[in-house]
Amino acid sequence: FTNSNLSGVDLSNSDLGGATLIKANLTGAILRNANLASANFEQADLNGSDLSHAFAMGASFENADLSLANLEEADFSGTNLTSAILEKTNLKNTILNQARQNDSTRWPDQFYPKSQGVVDEQYFYQGGGNNFLFQHDLDGHWDISIMESDGKNVRELTNDDIYNYKPKMSPDGEKFVFVRDSGKNSSGEIFIYDLKTGEFKNLTNNDLVNDNPRWSPDGKKISYEQWESTSEEAIPGSLNLMDPDGSNKQKIDLDISVIDHSWSPDGQKIIFTSQGEIETEEGPYKDRFAFLINPNGSDLRQLDFEEGALRIEEPVFSPDGSQIAYTCFYKGMQPQICITNPKTGEDVFLTEGFPGSSTYPTWSPDSNWIAFRNIRNGVGHMVQMRTDKSEIINMEVLGTPSSWTD
């Protein structure tokens, strides 16, 4: 249909999925309830057309004219709207999650695309996610902020004399959990923060140390670690579960310590490290071994990671479940980021040759990037790196990444 004249044509309920309509004239055309998924409308003229209730997921409208068009209740998620004209377009209840725009995209007056899930073009290619939740230390206390994935539009979510750290976004993106520590008696509590209301709530409220909160993938549970003091003798710590409102607390019975745990994306497994001791040429060395369990504590088994690594910390599954990233420690080296494939056993030393120490790996939503904290000359910056090492982005933001979200 390239260069076709379809002006005023009734194409209601048509299946145009994957069709090529580059430079087509569709002024006043009726595409109501049509399947337009992955169709190419680049430079097409859709002025005054009716696309209400159309399914256009993944379609390209680059440089297209959609002014005065009716997109009411259409699904435009993941569409390419770079340089598109949408002036005076009806966008009532239009789904625009992960639709892409650029500086030349023209929207109706008083329409705020980012509030509807629209992302800037460059963000889309950096991992399929738009926001970073991270912790930073700019005033002597840790605080939590959120920003867009290129480091712009940083917004502080906490700013007080309390230590706020290890934030994790809920699966629905409406809340996050974190550790809040006043420094008194060296204890920490698990708090939840509602992004819509701005309200905080203490979920643990006890005299123990509560640490490392994590959401189950379905959002129905929050897991966390707990011990009685912050001294070295405090380990082992226990693994615990609770509901998001703090009720139904449950301790998982294990005979070993639990440190740096996280969930598999299907919610069927929890990975964690446990402290032990290995023999080296220099004598005993305190190591952390990686384990996998079911959320109820059954089926405990040890995992084999990169050969030669003296210590493993912060293991975390990729969103697609195919890989595990972790911080690896080698003799004579600063900590670095490694990746393993749990099925094949293939290992990748991601930050090999990268200067400084690299810790706290955080996956992008599409599993193709890892963000991490890189410390050089005593200063911790956030870095993004493709898992194939083909691209590195040094973000000019100080802090530690915690959640990379859609």
Side-chain angles (χ1 to χ4, degrees):
F1 297 105
T2 298
N3 292 310
S4 297
N5 184 5
L6 299 170
S7 178
V9 174
D10 188 350
L11 296 170
S12 299
N13 302 301
S14 296
D15 186 359
L16 295 171
T20 300
L21 295 106
I22 298 173
K23 296 183 179 180
N25 179 8
L26 289 151
T27 56
I30 302 173
L31 294 155
R32 192 182 303 118
N33 293 307
N35 176 19
L36 309 176
S38 301
N40 189 346
F41 290 91
E42 292 179 12
Q43 301 181 59
D45 188 353
L46 292 124
N47 191 301
S49 59
D50 183 0
L51 288 84
S52 58
H53 302 275
F55 181 73
M57 181 179 291
S60 176
F61 293 88
E62 184 178 358
N63 288 297
D65 185 357
L66 287 155
S67 55
L68 297 173
N70 179 14
L71 274 62
E72 183 172 350
E73 295 193 16
D75 188 344
F76 267 52
S77 54
T79 53
N80 181 358
L81 297 173
T82 56
S83 302
I85 302 172
L86 295 104
E87 294 174 328
K88 298 182 180 180
T89 300
N90 180 5
L91 296 170
K92 183 178 180 181
N93 296 323
T94 306
I95 300 173
L96 291 164
N97 187 46
Q98 290 294 300
R100 288 173 282 162
Q101 66 170 357
N102 60 9
D103 292 339
S104 298
T105 305
R106 290 153 61 183
W107 298 96
D109 291 339
Q110 305 301 314
F111 183 80
Y112 304 100
K114 289 189 178 179
S115 69
Q116 303 300 314
V118 176
V119 298
D120 289 344
E121 183 178 24
Q122 62 268 32
Y123 303 163
F124 180 85
Y125 292 108
Q126 291 173 208
N130 188 30
N131 293 308
F132 270 96
L133 195 63
F134 67 101
Q135 67 187 56
H136 57 85
D137 177 11
L138 301 179
D139 58 3
H141 294 87
W142 293 327
D143 277 304
I144 297 168
S145 291
I146 193 169
M147 66 180 178
E148 292 173 347
S149 62
D150 69 342
K152 295 180 180 178
N153 296 326
V154 178
R155 293 187 293 116
E156 278 194 321
L157 300 175
T158 66
N159 185 4
D160 51 35
D161 294 333
I162 305 297
Y163 291 92
N164 304 286
Y165 54 98
K166 295 188 179 178
K168 288 296 176 183
M169 190 70 75
S170 62
D172 61 12
E174 295 182 356
K175 302 177 179 69
F176 67 88
V177 289
F178 65 102
V179 181
R180 188 169 171 87
D181 186 350
S182 66
K184 299 176 181 178
N185 301 319
S186 299
S187 64
E189 303 284 3
I190 306 301
F191 273 70
I192 191 167
Y193 178 87
D194 191 310
L195 289 165
K196 290 184 177 180
T197 66
E199 294 179 352
F200 291 89
K201 181 181 179 181
N202 188 341
L203 300 181
T204 47
N205 197 25
N206 55 47
D207 295 329
L208 302 174
V209 177
N210 306 278
D211 195 23
N212 197 30
R214 300 274 183 162
W215 292 89
S216 63
D218 62 8
K220 294 181 179 180
K221 290 289 182 181
I222 294 170
S223 55
Y224 60 104
E225 296 151 25
Q226 190 177 77
W227 57 90
E228 293 186 0
S229 77
T230 57
S231 67
E232 286 294 324
E233 291 74 23
I235 296 173
S238 64
L239 178 63
N240 300 265
L241 299 174
M242 62 181 168
D243 292 347
D245 63 359
S247 64
N248 296 320
K249 291 181 175 66
Q250 175 189 3
K251 180 179 178 180
I252 305 302
D253 290 327
L254 293 170
D255 294 328
I256 58 175
S257 63
V258 175
I259 313 169
D260 293 334
H261 80 284
S262 62
W263 293 74
S264 63
D266 61 5
Q268 299 301 304
K269 296 290 182 180
I270 292 176
I271 189 172
F272 64 94
T273 62
S274 186
Q275 190 146 300
E277 199 171 84
I278 59 173
E279 290 293 329
T280 68
E281 294 178 359
E282 291 78 18
Y285 181 88
K286 283 189 175 181
D287 189 15
R288 286 195 193 174
F289 304 97
F291 291 86
L292 205 62
I293 57 167
N294 295 331
N296 64 4
S298 64
D299 195 25
L300 174 70
R301 59 188 178 93
Q302 187 173 346
L303 298 176
D304 292 325
F305 279 76
E306 175 72 19
E307 184 178 356
L310 294 175
R311 188 179 179 92
I312 293 166
E313 294 184 3
E314 301 139 10
V316 58
F317 276 97
S318 58
D320 64 9
S322 66
Q323 301 174 90
I324 299 170
Y326 58 99
T327 300
C328 48
F329 293 75
Y330 289 86
K331 183 179 179 180
M333 294 178 60
Q334 297 189 73
Q336 300 296 329
I337 304 300
C338 293
I339 304 173
T340 191
N341 183 317
K343 291 185 177 180
T344 66
E346 180 183 0
D347 295 299
V348 175
F349 191 169
L350 183 67
T351 56
E352 184 176 13
F354 201 74
S357 68
S358 300
T359 56
Y360 294 100
T362 301
W363 286 96
S364 64
D366 67 4
S367 301
N368 292 324
W369 292 75
I370 289 178
F372 55 91
R373 182 182 70 177
N374 178 251
I375 298 179
R376 280 175 278 175
N377 301 318
V379 180
H381 294 267
M382 286 187 283
V383 177
Q384 298 169 343
M385 183 182 292
R386 281 192 179 274
T387 54
D388 62 5
K389 305 184 184 182
S390 64
E391 190 172 357
I392 300 171
I393 299 174
N394 288 291
M395 305 174 71
E396 298 301 320
V397 180
L398 305 181
T400 301
S402 190
S403 289
W404 192 342
T405 63
D406 294 334

